[in-house]
């Protein structure tokens, strides 16, 4: 978030860095200046206009209302408030106007949801949208630094012929842990009673909320791959119009805000996570018509889950608050 604020020249009169008690007193650099980290307490938000949160859901539930009570607008990068009916869930390219109705807290959506709705919103606006089926191929960075270390350690152990015990993935707090190196794990977050994981339900419910389409049919299967950064998604959609061509769809997405079209089968051009790391856009390719349904399309969507999926979207929300004169 700090790197993104600096890179995009976000207007900052004063900056305060807050963290847990064990980090208080440490120093960090921002735009050439040194800042002392302070302990995150309710009182620390006095005089703060804008607070970017990314310290876990329990911390957000505890401190975000305290920050809002003291006049700050909170942009929260956890799942704590995403499905709260009074909290806008925002992707600026899709539903920026939702920022006008907040009670001090704004939710940043799930990383895999963000990149998908950025790709789908221009389609929804022009051709309508009836159904979405998504299968995700998600990077281990989405599970945190420990997951990256585990993938790297397991890879080295396998190459060296050494034994190891998985401890982090698929979910650190679940009963069993599985190898991620040279593997694909069809579980992200814990399973719910309906057989879907919490990650899958997040994608389903968040997509409907962001697009204001509770009637939209959405299904998701979320899979973890041994990729460090960059989520990939295979997305099938059904639109209202049966007369749309692949060329029409490519032309629309080529002009869409926040989207880069990479789609030329003759040149083997398509998005890949290795090529999207460090880039702001959502990359779309492999656009093709379904062979059985005239209104069905398939596409491949890739984005840096740590940028557009988290830090960048949070900063873009902040930029939208400035643009809409919503920051006092």
């Amino acid at each position: 978030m700090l790197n993104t604020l600096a890179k995009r020249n976000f207007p900052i009169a004063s900056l305060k860095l807050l963290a847990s008690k064990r980090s208080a007193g440490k120093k960090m650099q921002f735009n050439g200046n040194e800042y002392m980290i302070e302990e995150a307490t309710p009182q620390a938000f006095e005089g703060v206009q804008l607070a970017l949160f990314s310290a876990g859901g329990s911390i957000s539930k505890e401190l975000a209302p305290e920050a809002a009570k003291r006049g700050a607008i909170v942009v929260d990068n956890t799942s704590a408030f995403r499905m709260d009916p009074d909290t806008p869930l925002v992707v600026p390219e899709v539903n920026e106007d939702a920022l006008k109705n907040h009670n001090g807290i704004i939710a940043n959506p799930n990383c895999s949801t963000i990149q998908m709705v950025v790709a789908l919103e221009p389609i929804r606006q022009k051709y309508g949208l009836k159904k979405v089926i998504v299968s995700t191929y998600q990077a281990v960075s989405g599970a945190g630094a420990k997951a990256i270390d585990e993938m790297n350690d397991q890879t080295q152990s396998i190459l060296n012929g050494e034994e190891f015990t998985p401890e982090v993935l698929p979910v650190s707090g679940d009963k069993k842990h599985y190898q991620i190196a040279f593997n694909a794990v069809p579980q992200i977050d814990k399973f719910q009673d309906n057989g879907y994981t919490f990650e899958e339900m997040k994608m389903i419910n968040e997509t409907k909320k962001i697009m204001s389409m509770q009637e939209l049919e959405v299904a998701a299967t979320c899979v973890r791959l041994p990729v460090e950064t960059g989520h990939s998604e295979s997305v099938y959609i059904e639109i209202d119009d049966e007369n749309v061509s692949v060329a029409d769809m490519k032309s629309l997405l080529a002009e869409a805000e926040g989207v880069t079209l990479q789609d030329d089968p003759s040149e083997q051009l398509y998005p890949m996570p290795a090529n999207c790391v460090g880039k702001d856009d959502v990359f779309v390719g492999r656009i093709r018509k379904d062979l059985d349904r005239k209104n069905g399309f398939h596409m491949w969507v890739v984005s840096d889950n740590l940028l557009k999926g988290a830090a960048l979207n949070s900063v873009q929300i902040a930029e939208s608050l400035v643009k809409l004169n919503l920051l006092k």
Side-chain angles (χ1 to χ4, degrees):
M1 284 180 175
L2 288 171
N3 289 339
T4 304
L5 287 166
K7 180 181 175 184
R8 295 174 72 88
N9 294 314
F10 186 81
I12 298 174
S14 62
L15 178 69
K16 183 181 283 195
L17 303 182
L18 304 178
S20 65
K21 191 173 184 177
R22 69 177 181 272
S23 295
K26 294 180 182 176
K27 295 177 180 178
M28 286 189 71
Q29 295 282 331
F30 176 76
N31 267 354
N33 296 313
E34 192 172 70
Y35 293 85
M36 179 88 73
I37 297 173
E38 303 173 43
E39 182 182 357
T41 64
Q43 295 73 30
F45 294 97
E46 295 287 352
V48 172
Q49 290 176 292
L50 176 68
L52 303 183
F53 272 56
S54 193
S58 61
I59 301 297
S60 291
K61 286 179 181 177
E62 176 189 348
L63 290 178
E66 294 290 344
K69 192 190 303 180
R70 288 164 172 79
I73 296 179
V74 174
V75 180
D76 182 48
N77 195 38
T78 77
S79 61
F81 301 99
R82 287 176 185 158
M83 297 315 299
D84 177 358
D86 296 323
T87 301
L89 183 66
V90 177
V91 178
E93 295 94 335
V94 180
N95 64 333
E96 184 182 63
D97 281 349
L99 292 171
K100 296 174 182 176
N101 300 300
H102 70 79
N103 293 319
I105 300 174
I106 297 154
N108 198 45
N110 179 276
C111 48
S112 44
T113 304
I114 290 172
Q115 67 185 68
M116 183 174 76
V117 297
V118 167
L120 295 187
E121 178 60 12
I123 298 169
R124 185 190 73 82
Q125 285 189 15
K126 186 159 186 178
Y127 301 126
L129 192 60
K130 298 168 69 173
K131 185 171 191 171
V132 180
I133 300 175
V134 56
S135 295
T136 72
Y137 307 83
Q138 295 180 222
V140 294
S141 57
K146 289 182 179 178
I148 297 175
D149 292 340
E150 180 171 71
M151 178 187 71
N152 292 335
D153 291 344
Q154 287 179 3
T155 301
Q156 196 63 55
S157 294
I158 291 170
L159 293 174
N160 292 340
E162 300 167 352
E163 293 188 1
F164 56 88
T165 302
E167 296 178 351
V168 178
L169 293 168
V171 187
S172 58
D174 216 340
K175 295 182 289 292
K176 295 181 179 179
H177 300 102
Y178 295 116
Q179 169 186 330
I180 184 62
F182 303 101
N183 199 14
V185 182
Q187 179 191 356
I188 300 180
D189 219 316
K190 292 187 177 181
F191 282 99
Q192 310 298 289
D193 291 341
N194 62 3
Y196 287 78
T197 64
F198 188 45
E199 180 85 357
E200 290 159 355
M201 292 309 302
K202 279 192 274 189
M203 288 199 75
I204 292 166
N205 294 325
E206 290 177 24
T207 299
K208 294 180 180 187
K209 180 176 179 179
I210 294 165
M211 291 185 159
S212 298
M213 292 182 70
Q214 288 304 312
E215 75 281 6
L216 182 64
E217 297 178 20
V218 187
T221 302
C222 295
V223 181
R224 189 77 71 190
L225 290 190
V227 171
E228 183 171 315
T229 302
H231 288 352
S232 303
E233 299 172 347
S234 173
V235 184
Y236 168 75
I237 61 171
E238 292 179 8
I239 59 177
D240 293 337
D241 191 339
E242 293 189 350
N243 299 309
V244 179
S245 68
V246 170
D248 293 332
M249 197 67 79
K250 287 184 178 181
S251 177
L252 175 67
L253 288 169
E255 299 298 321
E257 181 185 2
V259 173
T260 293
L261 182 71
Q262 292 183 332
D263 195 333
D264 186 351
S266 68
E267 295 295 329
Q268 293 177 266
L269 178 64
Y270 36 72
M272 291 182 286
N275 298 333
C276 80
V277 175
K279 297 176 181 174
D280 291 347
D281 272 6
V282 172
F283 296 82
V284 182
R286 296 295 319 277
I287 299 170
R288 57 211 187 275
K289 267 208 151 182
D290 188 72
L291 299 178
D292 299 301
R293 293 186 178 271
K294 291 181 180 179
N295 66 332
F297 282 85
H298 300 265
M299 63 186 66
W300 180 249
V301 181
V302 180
S303 189
D304 185 327
N305 54 297
L306 303 180
L307 272 176
K308 184 54 185 169
L312 174 60
N313 200 72
S314 295
V315 172
Q316 285 178 306
I317 290 172
E319 291 171 340
S320 293
L321 289 169
V322 173
K323 183 177 83 173
L324 298 171
N325 293 314
L326 295 173
L327 277 178
K328 294 183 179 62

